[in-house]
Amino acid sequence: MQVKTKLLGMAVLLHMFTYFGSRILASDMYHFDMTTPIDRRIGLVPWTIVIYMGCYIFWGINYYLGYMQEDREAEAFFLSEIIAKLICLFFYLVIPTTCIRPAVTEPGVFESAVRWLYKVDAPDNLFPSIHCLTSWLCVVAVRNQERIPAWYKKVSVFLAVLICISTLTTKQHVIVDVAAGVLCAEISFRIANRAHKKNTYTK
């Protein structure tokens, strides 16, 4: 089995544990609210749930492109995913966070979708934002690939930024969550690249 395939499998398992396992482990812990006055001024924009939920298509395409690049680059990419989720797991267990969501009582398709989202997704595991982290790793997945057209790289940045904004306008995250998610992606990729150059990740 290829190393990149093994790393992909490890990344999937770690993601599941980070997202669901940490929620169980930290359930009885005090959760910090990192909402700022600026966050309180950002209103709920129900239609942006289309962007927030539609991100899975973007993720699937770019992670596939990340997997299909040269083996060593793909290995470094999925290693960065693993490192990023380990960082998230650390913060979810050491500094668990939450936020207060608005009451959504208005009728409408988008409003109903927001209510459903709030019902199935608890307001925890917020800092760093996995939504923003994954979206920015989608940018990382393609930006150094010569065979990827420049226009698609720009589209990827645009979509990643839109998704980050949607996490705020759906009131799923606050500003520090977004910033931490993007920063976590960049830091993880730099660490993975250094390991890639030293060929230490295969060990």
Side-chain angles (χ1 to χ4, degrees), residues 18-35 88-101 121-127 172 174 177:
T18 298
Y19 190 77
F20 296 105
S22 64
R23 177 168 287 170
I24 296 172
L25 293 173
S27 61
D28 293 328
M29 298 174 63
Y30 178 79
H31 284 56
F32 298 89
D33 188 343
M34 296 187 177
T35 304
C88 288
L89 180 61
F90 171 81
F91 280 105
Y92 293 167
L93 296 178
V94 175
I95 313 175
T97 53
T98 188
C99 67
I100 299 175
R101 294 163 167 173
D121 188 23
D124 53 17
N125 288 353
L126 303 183
F127 177 87
Q172 283 287 88
V174 294
D177 302 335

Side-chain angles (χ1 to χ4, degrees), residues 180-199:
V182 174
L183 184 61
C184 182
E186 287 291 347
I187 290 174
S188 300
F189 184 64
R190 290 178 185 274
I191 294 173
N193 253 344
R194 182 166 297 183
H196 164 271
K197 291 176 181 178
K198 293 183 178 181
N199 200 30

Side-chain angles (χ1 to χ4, degrees), residues 83-141:
I83 294 170
K85 291 300 166 59
L86 287 173
I87 293 173
C88 288
L89 180 61
F90 171 81
F91 280 105
Y92 293 167
L93 296 178
V94 175
I95 313 175
T97 53
T98 188
C99 67
I100 299 175
R101 294 163 167 173
V104 184
T105 57
E106 298 81 0
V109 175
F110 301 126
E111 288 80 2
S112 296
V114 172
R115 283 192 291 271
W116 174 83
L117 176 63
Y118 288 178
K119 182 178 179 180
V120 299
D121 188 23
D124 53 17
N125 288 353
L126 303 183
F127 177 87
S129 164
I130 286 183
H131 238 74
C132 298
L133 161 66
T134 305
S135 298
W136 201 254
L137 280 178
C138 285
V139 174
V140 169

Side-chain angles (χ1 to χ4, degrees), residues 44-56:
L44 173 67
V45 185
W47 70 263
T48 57
I49 194 172
V50 175
I51 300 172
Y52 184 86
M53 299 299 294
C55 68
Y56 294 101

Side-chain angles (χ1 to χ4, degrees), residues 151-168:
W151 67 265
Y152 187 75
K153 295 177 182 179
K154 293 178 181 178
V155 167
S156 292
V157 173
F158 178 70
L159 290 176
V161 171
L162 278 185
I163 293 167
C164 288
I165 293 173
S166 77
T167 66
L168 300 175

